[in-house]
């Protein structure tokens, strides 16, 4: 996959979820999310973007997110899950 494939998958998460299988979302610290926010050079600085995309994935019906920084992502996912 290239960057555009990853973006297309993110935008179409609801269609993937609609297939009826549990979906694991593994975007943790991936370079692809920097296409939305350019200029984040360090891996540790990608945690905020990872948490944002994890929250987005949950709104689309994703049940599992694979992340490096569990604390930051847990807080975001719990908060968004509480709203849904």
């Amino acid at each position: 996959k290239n960057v555009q494939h990853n973006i297309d998958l993110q935008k179409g998460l609801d269609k993937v979820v609609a297939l009826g299988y549990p979906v694991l979302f593994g975007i943790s610290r991936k370079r692809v999310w920097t296409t939305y926010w350019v200029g984040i050079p360090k891996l540790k600085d990608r945690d905020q973007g990872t948490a944002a995309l994890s929250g987005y994935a949950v709104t689309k019906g994703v049940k599992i997110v694979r992340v490096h920084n569990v604390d930051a992502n847990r807080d975001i996912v719990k908060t968004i899950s509480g709203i849904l």
Side-chain angles (χ1 to χ4, degrees):
K1 301 182 289 211
N2 62 31
V3 170
Q4 189 58 51
H5 293 145
N6 282 300
I7 291 169
D8 292 343
L9 278 168
Q10 290 169 41
K11 288 181 177 180
L13 275 176
D14 49 346
K15 294 174 186 167
V16 175
V17 169
L19 295 173
Y21 298 98
V23 176
L24 178 131
F25 187 74
I27 196 75
S28 187
R29 295 184 181 168
K30 297 273 191 280
R31 186 172 14 111
V32 65
W33 83 255
T34 62
T35 59
Y36 305 117
W37 183 13
V38 179
I40 309 294
K42 298 175 189 167
L43 283 177
K44 69 181 182 72
D45 293 336
R46 295 180 184 175
D47 286 336
Q48 289 177 316
T50 297
L53 288 174
S54 293
Y56 169 78
V58 167
T59 68
K60 296 298 181 180
V62 168
K63 299 296 182 196
I64 308 162
V65 293
R66 187 199 63 78
V67 298
H68 290 92
N69 185 335
V70 174
D71 292 336
N73 284 270
R74 180 186 56 236
D75 293 345
I76 295 294
V77 168
K78 278 186 163 185
T79 300
I80 290 174
S81 294
I83 295 168
L84 300 175

